[in-house]
Amino acid sequence: MKRLGKVFESLRTENRKGLIAFIMGGDPDVETSTALLKALPSRGVDVIEIGMPFSDPMADGPVIQMAGQRALEAGCTLRNVLDMVVSFRKDNQDTPLVLMGYANPVYRYGVDKFALDCAEAGVDGVIIVDLPPEEDQAVREALGNQFVDMIRLITPTSDAGRLETILDGATGFLYYVSITGITGAAKAKHDKVAAHIEKIRAKTDLPIAVGFGIKTPNDAQEMSALGDAVVVGSSIVEKIAHLSGKSGKVDQGAPEMTAVLDHIGALSGALKPAA
Amino acid sequence: MQNERKPPNSFRKAPDERGHFGPYGGRFVAETLMPLILEVEKAYLEARDDISFWVEFDKYAKHYIGRPSPLYHAEKASKHFGGAQIYFKRDELNHTGAHKINHCIGQILLATRMGKTRIIAETGAGQHGVATATVCALFDIPCTIFMGETDVKRQAPNVFRMKLLGAEVRSVSSGTGTLKDAMNEALRDWVTHVEDTYYLIGTVAGPHPFPMMVRDFQSIIGKELREQFQDRYGGLPDTLVACIGGGSNAMGLFYPFLDEREVKLIGVEAGGHGVESGEHAASLTGGLPGILHGMSSYFLQDENGQIKDAHSISAGLDYPGIGPEHAWLFDHKRVEYVSVPDQEALEAFQLCAKLEGIIPALEPAHAFAHVAKIAPSLPEDHHLVMNLCGRGDKDIFTVADMLGVKL
């Protein structure tokens, strides 16, 4: 069974909600980012999303935009992000890794080569923000041939007709973007999301991860009731920003690193079922 | 994105129902925007088949914009170069001084038809921003114009114009603070305000249906030219020349002639400091296929697919991409694309003023520079039409600065 399937299955049997943590690949530099990536599972992260930096991230708010810029300024390429995955997989065969980014760097890298290299590195899923179902065929099929999941997004604007289009061909899990807006914006209204997710549940058995606007352990706990997992990005990346400029000196014990990992620990702690 | 090698039977049948021009175009937007993009498409297709929509459009085109724009035989310029007969399609005489107002009228009519109550737009030089602010004032709809921080500084008069017209101008500091970042920020705003907002895109770019729709509105230029030329000289012109940033004025000029293969079409990109210098805005001659701003097309980018900044003396051509229909016409060689560097455009700007008493915008000055190159070797019965798509009042500060003149 694939790693993503296994994780969501055990979440269900343990009656627990998962934490999906987002970090930008290569932020603030590849070395520090790799160290951080490797430390995440020990803090209770169930799935890790790694951003593929892009110069023009049209769906991201300032925090993730800056993270991408830091990574690019430090010279991070898509190949470097894949190498982070290779390095991670040397010690960890269980935690699913999902790459998230935009179409242009993937197309420039070569769609088939990207899919092949994802599979070889140990990537489990890919989210390409600017490839809606109408335009994702090439990437989806290439990834599918390598048994890597193309993760699709559902948003508050996805009506019944749209839902059908999205679910047709969706794999892995569904990423529910809980607000109409960009990453790092205000939190969604709980009730609105709940009603929509209920409609989605009626149409699919795929696990649902809820993301966008979830920043604190409280947010995570509140929103976790709605789906199978919550995605936290901007509030983690905001703390990673403090590691910037410390290249080469950052070890696991550095206070800035501890602050990132403690925040993640608090998030996963908030999702533990009440004793 | 494999290129389709076989040329189509007609160049006027694109895009297909998914908005694709061969491998280009499409709808590469975040899922949040998809329902809205589909709604814009549906509304436009309905409007396109509705005679009353075009009656309204024609009313504003005639009485507000001042169309048809004249077709002017530039006899002095023709004599000066000693070859082809040169004609200007005078879209610089439009209200607001450029062709941008054509698609702004079309889109504001569509936005009101859709019941949208807020308009957003991006602008580089500020021409599209001014045209958008103008129609928003006319139709009494609040609008927000996104403009790169760098452009806000160097285009202060246009920022003031937009504010006079009642627009809110939002300075964009993200990324590199230029036109591409203004477009990113407009898309971010649109994702956040999907319910009430219409994004009035300023060129034949963005997700489908914008490239098709803006082309259709701008085609009034080529349609008028066909009639004017037929009436006065009979037959068709031999060569059409237009400058290209995103490509709206060129697409509008070329489209009605695409299937008349005997008419030679030339698009002039901004060569900046020269295509070989890497500092230019020539997406076709110096870029690669890619995906940005909702479309597949040609973009300036590095080997890792990161978008590069464009450079041009003309802020209106300073965009690292190009409309997808141009990308398709480029691959099929239906249109010839060339580039003209800053320096030549600057010389052409001054030459046009002195020869014809017309101060062109720096954008069509690029087209005029290319006309200057090809006209002398063409026969005297060769009819060459250039789109004079904007007037140069806005550029006098830039030009003065380049010439070392303090105003």
Side-chain angles (χ1 to χ4, degrees), chain B residues 86-99:
Chain B
I86 297 163
Y87 304 82
F88 293 154
K89 180 65 177 152
R90 307 257 336 248
D91 257 52
E92 100 279 13
L93 293 176
N94 294 338
H95 178 45
T96 72
H99 70 289

Side-chain angles (χ1 to χ4, degrees), chain B residues 100-101 103-109 111 118-123 128-129 131-133 135-136 143-145 186 190 197-203 210 213-214:
Chain B
K100 294 287 182 196
I101 192 80
H103 67 236
C104 284
I105 286 290
Q107 289 195 71
I108 200 81
L109 287 172
R118 176 174 174 261
I119 300 290
I120 56 170
E122 85 293 344
T123 197
H128 174 63
T132 302
V135 297
C136 286
C143 81
T144 302
I145 309 288
W190 208 20
T197 299
Y198 180 90
Y199 181 9
L200 208 156
I201 292 182
T203 186
F210 287 94
M213 178 166 68
V214 172

Side-chain angles (χ1 to χ4, degrees), chain B residues 247-262:
Chain B
S248 61
N249 93 80
M251 224 38 254
L253 179 73
F254 296 163
Y255 185 69
F257 295 91
L258 286 179
D259 281 341
E260 274 69 40
R261 312 286 167 106
E262 68 273 29

Side-chain angles (χ1 to χ4, degrees), chain B residues 115-193:
Chain B
K116 298 295 178 187
T117 53
R118 176 174 174 261
I119 300 290
I120 56 170
E122 85 293 344
T123 197
Q127 288 311 100
H128 174 63
V130 167
T132 302
T134 298
V135 297
C136 286
L138 181 65
F139 284 80
D140 209 14
I141 301 181
C143 81
T144 302
I145 309 288
F146 293 88
M147 191 167 181
E149 199 175 38
T150 324
D151 293 329
V152 168
K153 280 185 203 133
R154 62 183 177 187
Q155 303 289 337
N158 270 344
V159 173
F160 184 60
R161 272 184 198 110
M162 287 185 266
K163 287 182 178 166
L164 276 178
L165 291 159
E168 178 204 354
V169 179
R170 219 174 280 175
S171 173
V172 177
S173 58
S174 63
T176 49
T178 57
L179 178 56
K180 77 176 176 74
D181 303 292
M183 200 152 176
N184 289 335
E185 210 54 36
L187 283 164
R188 289 181 190 121
D189 181 284
W190 208 20
V191 169
T192 312
H193 302 99

